[in-house]
Amino acid sequence: MILTKEQQAILQGEKGETLAKVMKTLVMYGDAFEAEKLVPITSKYNHLVTSFGLKVMSPVYDLMQQLLDADVSSEQKFSVDPRPLDKNVPANFLQNLVFNKFMYTKQDFYEGQLDKLGLIDKNAFTCTCYMDEVGNKPKKGDVLSWAESSAVVYANSVLGARCNRNSGIIDIMGSIVGFVPYFGLLTDEGRKATWVVKIQTTKKPEAQLLGSAIGMKVMEDVPYIVGLDKWIGNELNDSTCAYLKDFGAATASNGAVGLYHIENLTPEAVELGENLIAEGAKEYVIDDAELERVNNNYPVIWKNPDAKPKLCFVGCPHLSLEQLKDWTLKLEAELKKNGKKKVTVNTVFTAAPGVLETFEKTEYAARLKATGVITSYICPLMYMYNPLCKKMPVITSSNKLRTYTSARYYTDAEILETITGGRN
Amino acid sequence: MKQFKGRVVTPGEVTAEAVVTKEGFNTLASLQMALQFGDKEVKCGDQSNKELYGKPLINKALCLPQTIGSTTGGLVLYCACSMEKNPACMLFANHIDSLAAAGAVLADVWVDGVTMPVIDGLGDEFLSYVKDGMKITVKADGIVEVE
């Protein structure tokens, strides 16, 4: 890697040992990918994945403290993934004991560190930082140092920004030095598709199921998806962006996708079309049978596979304002149809604090509350890490949550039916 | 005994018993429960990985194509090394991915006294050949011996 004189000086310790180690980390990281240089970060804000003060992650907080003690924090402020806890989310006495006394014991301490390192504000805790209500929305071509797989894939694919799948800690280190190594998804070559995915379904594919299938097939490669615009349109409106948010999260968690192109829809695909497809790209055809196969192959790790669900999470990644409104309408209709007033399973919808604040000002908030659904800002994954929650039969519309926890995945329609008492 | 040549991502020499997956290794799903709840064997917690689920990973030569999943994966690996609950080495058939690279580099730069050699580019033949339980020796120059 060729460094500028300034970068070289930092590496050699002229600005202190800690900053030298930060630079060494980024250089070694870049060297692993034959990066020839470091390039400046251009986005207004960063986004960090580590939002939780989990006792086992103490080495992370120790490292953060080294950065703070050496006064090497950056000028670039950041948003961060969701908080782990909210007293409004149902949890029994023992579950709460584990949360508060054994798991997230360093939450306040870590949030203090985040504040000092450059957190935008106390509400900047969401995986969907790019929502208008949150305001961390990079421009096309912006170079980022983000982490959070669902946010990276959204920023790259839907917004046309440029970011590698950075790990936690690497995210903040990029901000500190102001540069990231130039490789992979920052480069034109790295953004070319080595898979062509042909959608041949007879109906609109479920976003997180489709994402899961594609993620598991292509792993970290870039797919160029043909035939999806037929179902979701060729305009990046609220509804389509919400679909892509969920789709991308599934590709990134079930596989390792950092960028996808959707013909006639996503910005680079609209601009470059099939020129984005690399020579020798592999093909993957997805029809109804393939989606069914993928869905049927998810492992069910409930002790009793026929158990009645005790909790339902919707919103991993966090829901958009439109999704909250849409779910309110669907719930009202389905509850009425089934002769119910409230949901029959404890159900939590999660969204960004900023989105929830805006939602609260609409007529839909009271209507959703009347259905018995609880809204929260937490990360459902953080909740499910609790071993006492792991034992509970929990259902979800998130394939990301399914991947990391014991929660069982169902489509939106199946979830709707189940929580409104229409499905045994 | 067969030899494979790869690229050194983080240096070191070690001999360990192989544990093998041909699927993407989901670092967060595999390690987080074991680290969180003090599992001394660091048994793989990823129920989607039928090859590794439930198998001890600590001090093993983890042989894999690449890692997948959450971008917390890198820092989970870093924490595993900090807690000395890491695999003995990580041997990638493919080019290392960005999350594993981050974890390996963070451990190499910021953790004193723990070495976890990471070699990539060992090839598909390596992953086809190596089986659970085989003796793996990693040399400083990226040579991996499999017995």
Side-chain angles (χ1 to χ4, degrees):
Chain A
M1 192 183 293
I2 298 170
L3 300 181
T4 64
K5 280 188 186 157
E6 188 197 343
Q7 292 162 356
Q8 192 66 38
I10 293 172
L11 186 64
Q12 285 169 346
E14 289 180 27
K15 294 204 173 173
E17 189 192 332
T18 303
L19 198 56
K21 283 171 83 169
V22 171
M23 182 60 88
K24 184 179 179 188
T25 305
L26 288 168
V27 169
M28 279 183 72
Y29 175 52
D31 280 344
F33 298 95
E34 298 90 29
E36 292 176 352
K37 58 184 176 181
L38 298 174
V39 292
I41 293 165
T42 61
S43 62
K44 185 175 179 187
Y45 297 124
N46 199 355
H47 182 80
L48 312 189
V49 67
T50 317
S51 59
F52 41 88
L54 198 56
K55 198 169 148 190
V56 71
M57 296 284 185
S58 290
V60 173
Y61 318 128
D62 291 344
L63 197 158
M64 294 295 153
Q65 199 56 46
Q66 287 185 59
L67 301 178
L68 284 166
D69 290 345
D71 200 21
V72 294
S73 52
S74 81
E75 286 179 7
Q76 187 186 37
K77 288 189 174 290
F78 54 81
S79 54
V80 70
D81 267 11
R83 288 187 169 97
L85 297 176
D86 175 4
K87 61 182 185 320
N88 293 320
V89 176
N92 63 34
F93 173 77
L94 286 175
Q95 287 168 338
N96 277 321
L97 192 69
V98 172
F99 279 136
N100 295 312
K101 300 292 180 197
F102 293 100
M103 289 181 69
Y104 299 110
T105 55
K106 296 188 85 71
Q107 188 64 27
D108 287 346
F109 172 76
Y110 181 54
E111 288 195 24
Q113 288 187 322
L114 288 175
D115 203 44
K116 288 175 194 158
L117 283 164
L119 184 65
I120 293 170
D121 60 46
K122 63 176 174 49
N123 272 349
F125 282 84
T126 176
C127 49
T128 56
C129 58
Y130 40 81
M131 294 287 178
D132 290 339
E133 295 84 1
V134 183
N136 184 357
K137 191 171 177 178
K139 303 183 303 294
K140 185 170 182 286
D142 261 346
V143 173
L144 317 179
S145 182
W146 284 16
E148 169 50 49
S149 57
S150 64
V152 166
V153 71
Y154 187 92
N156 277 321
S157 312
V158 180
L159 303 178
R162 299 204 166 201
C163 188
N164 281 311
R165 273 169 52 92
N166 298 310
S167 171
I169 306 181
I170 295 288
D171 47 16
I172 186 84
M173 287 189 176
S175 267
I176 286 169
V177 298
F179 295 90
V180 284
Y182 184 69
F183 71 90
L185 297 175
L186 267 59
T187 69
D188 289 348
E189 202 55 37
R191 293 175 81 85
K192 286 202 165 165
T194 52
W195 283 87
V196 174
V197 179
K198 295 185 174 176
I199 307 299
Q200 293 178 358
T201 54
T202 60
K203 57 182 190 263
K204 180 178 167 183
E206 195 80 7
Q208 291 229 25
L209 183 52
L210 181 66
S212 168
I214 292 175
M216 288 194 285
K217 178 65 78 174
V218 313
M219 295 262 264
E220 67 167 359
D221 289 346
V222 176
Y224 183 92
I225 299 155
V226 173
L228 185 57
D229 57 316
K230 170 186 170 184
W231 298 109
I232 65 175
N234 54 16
E235 190 193 331
L236 287 172
N237 53 33
D238 285 345
S239 171
T240 307
C241 287
Y243 183 99
L244 295 179
K245 160 180 72 74
D246 295 340
F247 163 78
T251 67
S253 55
N254 284 224
V257 174
L259 166 68
Y260 57 81
H261 300 295
I262 298 185
E263 189 167 65
N264 300 324
L265 181 59
T266 52
E268 280 158 272
V270 166
E271 193 181 321
L272 298 167
E274 291 186 352
N275 291 321
L276 280 168
I277 302 172
E279 210 173 301
K282 290 174 267 199
E283 188 176 280
Y284 176 38
V285 175
I286 298 181
D287 55 15
D288 295 342
E290 175 61 3
L291 285 180
E292 197 179 331
R293 181 195 68 79
V294 168
N295 199 9
N296 291 342
N297 268 296
Y298 294 141
V300 175
I301 61 168
W302 288 4
K303 207 169 176 184
N304 172 10
D306 299 318
K308 200 161 173 287
K310 288 207 169 136
L311 186 60
C312 172
F313 276 116
V314 176
C316 172
H318 276 170
L319 293 168
S320 68
L321 183 64
E322 172 170 317
Q323 284 178 311
L324 281 167
K325 291 177 184 174
D326 192 51
W327 268 102
T328 304
L329 293 171
K330 286 193 294 199
L331 273 167
E332 285 178 335
E334 203 69 13
L335 282 167
K336 190 175 176 183
K337 185 179 123 192
N338 294 333
K340 307 270 184 216
K341 285 197 159 34
K342 289 192 186 293
V343 290
T344 56
V345 178
N346 278 333
T347 298
V348 181
F349 285 3
T350 50
V355 170
L356 289 174
E357 266 179 29
T358 306
F359 183 67
E360 278 301 311
K361 294 174 190 160
T362 71
E363 57 159 295
Y364 296 91
R367 288 164 66 175
L368 183 62
K369 194 171 177 183
T371 68
V373 167
I374 297 157
T375 55
S376 175
Y377 48 74
I378 66 162
C379 172
L381 183 51
M382 301 287 124
Y383 178 98
M384 292 298 292
Y385 277 170
N386 186 327
L388 298 181
C389 300
K390 187 184 173 187
K391 289 179 185 177
M392 244 180 6
V394 176
I395 59 174
T396 181
S397 58
S398 167
N399 232 318
K400 176 167 180 169
L401 193 62
R402 176 206 65 81
T403 300
Y404 295 119
T405 71
S406 60
R408 201 157 159 184
Y409 169 78
Y410 290 97
T411 63
D412 282 359
E414 288 168 336
I415 290 283
L416 181 65
E417 202 180 355
T418 303
I419 65 176
T420 57
R423 181 185 172 102
N424 293 324
Chain B
M1 192 258 286
K2 207 158 177 183
Q3 276 194 347
F4 299 89
K5 176 87 167 83
R7 179 184 67 141
V8 176
V9 177
T10 52
E13 294 185 305
V14 75
T15 298
E17 193 178 282
V19 63
V20 185
T21 179
K22 292 185 173 59
E23 301 173 31
F25 178 77
N26 195 316
T27 311
L28 176 65
S30 298
L31 297 183
Q32 55 95 4
M33 281 292 186
L35 295 180
Q36 186 167 317
F37 296 104
D39 175 9
K40 288 182 181 158
E41 289 186 303
V42 191
K43 291 188 282 295
C44 177
D46 181 9
Q47 76 266 21
S48 294
N49 190 322
K50 295 173 176 58
E51 290 167 312
L52 287 186
Y53 183 54
K55 289 185 182 169
L57 298 176
I58 190 171
N59 296 328
K60 300 287 187 190
L62 177 58
C63 306
L64 69 166
Q66 65 176 91
T67 74
I68 59 172
S70 169
T71 48
T72 54
L75 63 92
V76 168
L77 199 52
Y78 164 72
C79 284
C81 292
S82 299
M83 297 158 75
E84 296 186 50
K85 292 197 166 181
N86 51 291
C89 56
M90 292 179 75
L91 307 175
F92 290 82
N94 302 342
H95 191 295
I96 195 169
D97 59 279
S98 58
L99 301 183
V105 167
L106 283 165
D108 187 80
V109 176
W110 296 89
V111 179
D112 292 327
V114 172
T115 303
M116 184 181 71
V118 175
I119 311 293
D120 76 347
L122 288 161
D124 292 340
E125 194 194 334
F126 164 73
L127 208 53
S128 301
Y129 180 81
V130 69
K131 303 285 183 284
D132 280 3
M134 282 181 165
K135 182 181 165 188
I136 302 276
T137 303
V138 178
K139 308 265 193 193
D141 57 358
I143 297 276
V144 174
E145 293 176 349
V146 184
E147 296 179 64

